[in-house]
Amino acid sequence: MDHPDEPETEYGFLAEVLTDADAAAFVHVADRFDDDLRYLTRFSGPDRAYAFAYHDGDALLFPPSLFDEQAEREFPGTAVVGYGDRAEPDPVDAVLAVLADRDVDGAVAVPPAIRHDVYARLSTAGHEVVTTGAVESARERKTEREQRCLESVEHAAQRGLERAEAVLAEATVDGDVTRWDGNVLTTEVLRREINAELSRRGVDPSGNSVIGAGSTCADLHFTGTDGIRPGESVLIDLSPRGPHGYYGDVTRTFTVGSPDPWVETAYDAVLEARETAMSVLDAGAGVRAAAVHEAASDVLSEAGYGVGDVSTGFYHGVGHGIGVSLHEGPGLTDDRELRPGHVVTVEPGVYDPDRGGVRLEDLVVVTRDGFENLVDYPLSLTPRAADPS
Amino acid sequence: MDHPDEPETEYGFLAEVLTDADAAAFVHVADRFDDDLRYLTRFSGPDRAYAFAYHDGDALLFPPSLFDEQAEREFPGTAVVGYGDRAEPDPVDAVLAVLADRDVDGAVAVPPAIRHDVYARLSTAGHEVVTTGAVESARERKTEREQRCLESVEHAAQRGLERAEAVLAEATVDGDVTRWDGNVLTTEVLRREINAELSRRGVDPSGNSVIGAGSTCADLHFTGTDGIRPGESVLIDLSPRGPHGYYGDVTRTFTVGSPDPWVETAYDAVLEARETAMSVLDAGAGVRAAAVHEAASDVLSEAGYGVGDVSTGFYHGVGHGIGVSLHEGPGLTDDRELRPGHVVTVEPGVYDPDRGGVRLEDLVVVTRDGFENLVDYPLSLTPRAADPS
């Protein structure tokens, strides 16, 4: 993948958060798996606790031991309060010490997902603690640099799709199985080839490579092993994560050999739903998010598929926001307006547990008067052979 | 990798936990990134909330929407309370409804890492909520099946090392740079080759492939780009995660071309520290964990390296437990006895930010009267060419 500049974080919004919450400081303590903390620190730290604090315009990172150098490299805030320089090695104690040093005795704002034991320690230390979802909200609208991060990982994800197509194009039909490279072709064989390509492009498969074949396409997050039979749908949904923490998300559906009639019909319906959803997004910022889902649903319903709380048909939302979390706001079933910088998947699909499933997923940036599709990938059930170049 | 049977979870310990905590039920609500929840459910769910509850001998999983089938496939407990069958789709509400249904009005035990907002909802619903670290403790001693999971991912990790060696053996010296496949060889090029191999073996690199070259070996978790120069140390520390959720962890150090004298000397010292640490572990269960660290430290100190809170020398613990978390108990600096089924890394190293770093890491299962090393990988600074077979 390309390596765009690391995204920075504009900390200014935290000043407003403190005013709104009537709090003196914002604090978060978590580990590498917390996406609010990743956004606030841009630090890809380890699986043990580290802390972030914002007070009086200063954004501070308290890394765990052995991570001072990496923290200095990655944190775009005011200062890294290095482990070696701290009176208190524990990150919660270190934050409390800095708050005491700065005479902070007002309320402290924290995210709702903060660990209960951390919340309790802040509270026991005498701080009123108030929760705020403001960081998750701030993450929704992406800056230009964040959009380029998303684009770069989406670019790598599409190379994964190309690898999948090459394998499927090389596969041969042998009675009711398909073969590749001398063996029966399964979703697991295909997943490994795809994930190897994603890794080679510098992104992490992140356990998110969903590959369904026939009936397992209807199991929306299938990561198991299933034989790939001729003519059935092969659904490939890739969501790798880039080194900057941003996820990609793209889906295409193919077949080996002539598609079964159900698959062909479903593909056409999903293509039309996709086009209709995109046409709603054409209006850009100001569109009601749920209008995109409703438009796609109407197309699929008119084509004869069940929609909503059904076991066959279109039974998920048509899209979700994406960023340092794979799933974040806004959702395309939300009753709210889309705004410039929102980045959402558009992923209509239809499924029948007895027959298969088809999904097509793109990733779009909402702009003032339209959208930019970060996916530039063909739409065809027939897999293309690898480019010989 | 091999696919050993999915590890089961013995829920019996939770009955003791409830007795000790004087609680009527155990509850956890989190997402795929929570390792206690992974251990309790064996469910590789999504990045949104799902719940586990234990009451009266029943282990219950409350999956999020669209994940009922996967939950049924993966959960080894008593029952999946399917999203479609529930009166309350929200997992916290669903747990509260089941507790009410079962007339549970006593205290509810939860892990200390539970989200504060979940804790608050349980509390607001009228339950006394008590935290317990018992799940994290229970995770420390691995069953035979868990050990085989760890072994299988460690096996895949070693194939990653082999790929690294093949690249390094093919690399050529060109003045003060090394070249491979027509380009300057960097840690990022090497990382991508390794991660592709890990993916091909069915494990996830998980953003954990630490590759240092020369001075960046001293930055213990270097995941950036650095040119690999002739004779300097190339440190490769791989910690992929298997589909069952268990991590591997293995480190070897190599050079391209003749090693610099500092590297050669450091390698010999680390080799000796490794052997000494292993000889302490030879006694098996009952050994004090910290004795392993102290023995390795003594060897490196006698060899003239700084030890402990230093900027040059051996400045980390010699090992840590591993399981569904990459880092868990017991740590090999802990003042406690090792027990059968503890699985720990053994990873002495020495570093000099101006010269390089050497680390050698194995993964051992503590047994009643010794240990089993899950790593079977050569120890040599000189990279081996790929096996032509």
Side-chain angles (χ1 to χ4, degrees), chain A residues 1 3 32-33 47 66-67 69-70 73 112-117 119 188 192-193 195-196 199-202 204-208 219-222 247 315-316 326-327, chain B residues 1 3 32-33 47 66-67 69-70 73 112-117 119 188 192-193 195-196 199-202 204-208 219-222 247 315-316 326-327:
Chain A
M1 60 177 300
H3 272 296
R32 71 178 305 173
F33 299 110
D47 55 352
L66 307 176
F67 278 80
E69 288 176 49
Q70 185 181 330
R73 235 177 13 244
I114 199 163
R115 287 171 60 119
H116 173 70
D117 55 357
Y119 182 101
E188 177 66 13
R192 292 182 184 198
E193 289 298 317
N195 287 349
S199 296
R200 208 179 290 285
R201 300 287 177 167
D204 202 292
S206 303
N208 290 330
D219 185 354
L220 295 183
H221 299 86
F222 186 72
Y247 283 93
Y315 44 68
H316 56 73
L326 176 53
H327 300 91
Chain B
M1 62 176 298
H3 274 294
R32 71 180 305 174
F33 300 109
D47 55 353
L66 306 178
F67 279 82
E69 287 177 49
Q70 184 180 332
R73 239 179 5 248
I114 200 163
R115 287 170 61 121
H116 173 69
D117 55 358
Y119 182 102
E188 178 66 14
R192 292 182 183 197
E193 288 298 318
N195 286 349
S199 295
R200 208 178 290 285
R201 300 288 177 165
D204 201 293
S206 303
N208 290 330
D219 186 353
L220 295 182
H221 300 84
F222 186 72
Y247 284 94
Y315 44 67
H316 57 73
L326 176 53
H327 298 92

Side-chain angles (χ1 to χ4, degrees), chain A residues 5 13 18 57 60 67 117 137 145 150-151 169 180 197 224 230 257 274 278 293 311 322 325 357 360 375:
Chain A
D5 284 337
F13 79 97
L18 296 184
L60 307 172
F67 278 80
D117 55 357
S137 297
R145 284 170 80 168
L150 286 157
E151 186 177 39
W180 180 74
E197 185 65 24
R274 174 183 177 278
M278 297 282 192
H293 179 76
S311 58
I322 185 170
S325 289
L360 300 171
V375 174

Side-chain angles (χ1 to χ4, degrees), chain A residues 81-134:
Chain A
V81 184
Y83 189 85
D85 310 327
R86 300 202 306 242
E88 302 289 346
D90 175 89
V92 182
D93 288 336
V95 166
L96 287 169
V98 164
L99 294 181
D101 221 41
R102 291 177 167 230
D103 293 323
V104 175
D105 54 7
V108 171
V110 300
I114 199 163
R115 287 171 60 119
H116 173 70
D117 55 357
V118 173
Y119 182 101
R121 286 174 67 189
L122 296 173
S123 180
T124 302
H127 292 283
E128 186 196 343
V129 189
V130 292
T131 59
T132 169

